[in-house]
Amino acid sequence: MTRTLLAAASAVALLALGACGQGGGGTQTRDGIWAAGSSTVFPFATRVAENFSRTAGGAAPRVESLGTGGGIKAFCQGVGPTTPDIANASRPMKASEFAECQKNGVTDIVEIKIGYDGIVVATARDGGGFNLRLQDLYLGLAKEVPGEGGAFVANPATTWNQVNPALPAQRIQVYGPPPTSGTRDAFLELGMAPGAERVAAMAALKESDEDRFETLAHTLREDNAWIDSGENDNAIVQTLTRTPGSLGVFGFSFLEQNMDTVKAETIDGVAPSMETIADGSYPLARSLYIYVKKQHVGVTPGLEQFVMEFMSEASAGRGGYLQDRGLVPLPAEELAAQRAIANALTPMQAPAN
């Protein structure tokens, strides 16, 4: 009797969510968990979904790779079965995205850090070696750079040795993620902007006009020196093997899976590894997140259990199955703190920026 009443209550709740969901919710329902977003988090979420399906039964979770921006946009469209339960993200949610969620009735969002990843700049395994500095990334890939007389000009560099004589005399050709990708956002924040600050004219500009600095530091070339290559990082890996001399920007987990065909270049003399990403010595290290729609907990079957599986010791812990996929685990104390947030489903506060 109790089980029948619970099932009926769950069905009523799903219908209510469908009725109030924005973006065409109607009275549609769905049984399975739906997670969408970052291509970097995608293989981790997929692995958790596979394990969860084997142990919990029921409908298999649906995991989509839309890019961080695309996933959060879908997540923030409203409450109900036509919107994801979880947004996977390779960067923190922006204040503007949080505000959009609130406007559309997504008022209780649980932010959970699942681990670390690094952004790598890689070449084909048999390619020449690079020892890139952060300022080389800005000077090689920014759309505009300082010219003579203090004016900013269209980037004139065509080969890497024009940026830095210590680099190979190879054409600047970098394949990377599109604007919707959290990997691209993180590359701009961790690589391009700090690199720009090392250039005297840009450092001075930051002091006098921070908005202009941000625009210049975050705008990549559009002359085929930087080439948007979609949300699929594996496609970038494959492109490097077909395009001698080119570089690619993607997540560390994809490097781990393709060590036989590509290699990572050092940044400021530091190579990406589990250790250098975890201790922060690798300049392009970042945190990975999932965002959970608390209003769907108790309505989407198994959602709370799926989140706890994601944060379990067997999954996200040191030596867990996500580490085998390339995730850099959180330190034990930090993992325990994030697990407590997941267990209590503590809503996040509005981001500062």
Side-chain angles (χ1 to χ4, degrees), residues 62-127:
R62 168 185 170 190
V63 183
E64 289 186 295
S65 178
L66 305 177
T68 295
I72 292 178
K73 181 177 181 180
F75 178 87
C76 288
Q77 283 181 346
V79 174
T82 60
T83 64
D85 306 298
I86 295 172
N88 300 325
S90 55
R91 58 158 173 79
M93 181 179 282
K94 298 175 182 178
S96 58
E97 293 168 333
F98 183 85
E100 183 69 13
C101 265
Q102 301 295 305
K103 185 181 81 172
N104 291 333
V106 185
T107 55
D108 292 319
I109 304 166
V110 183
E111 178 186 71
I112 304 168
K113 185 189 296 187
I114 63 168
Y116 299 113
D117 183 40
I119 299 166
V120 301
V121 181
T123 57
R125 191 85 204 158
D126 57 359

Side-chain angles (χ1 to χ4, degrees), residues 123-141:
T123 57
R125 191 85 204 158
D126 57 359
F130 286 71
N131 179 20
L132 293 157
R133 306 169 302 172
L134 284 175
Q135 59 264 46
D136 296 335
L137 297 177
Y138 166 73
L139 291 171
L141 297 175

Side-chain angles (χ1 to χ4, degrees), residues 3 9 38 89 99 159 175 205 212 237 301 312 317 348:
R3 186 174 297 175
S38 166
T159 60
Y175 293 89
L205 179 64
R212 174 72 170 147
V237 170
S312 70
M348 67 184 288

Side-chain angles (χ1 to χ4, degrees), residues 2-16:
T2 301
R3 186 174 297 175
T4 303
L5 288 172
L6 285 173
S10 180
V12 169
L14 274 168
L15 288 172

Side-chain angles (χ1 to χ4, degrees), residues 157-178:
T158 57
T159 60
W160 283 108
N161 66 327
Q162 292 173 346
V163 170
N164 175 359
L167 294 176
Q170 291 179 197
R171 180 161 64 108
I172 298 173
Q173 186 177 32
V174 180
Y175 293 89

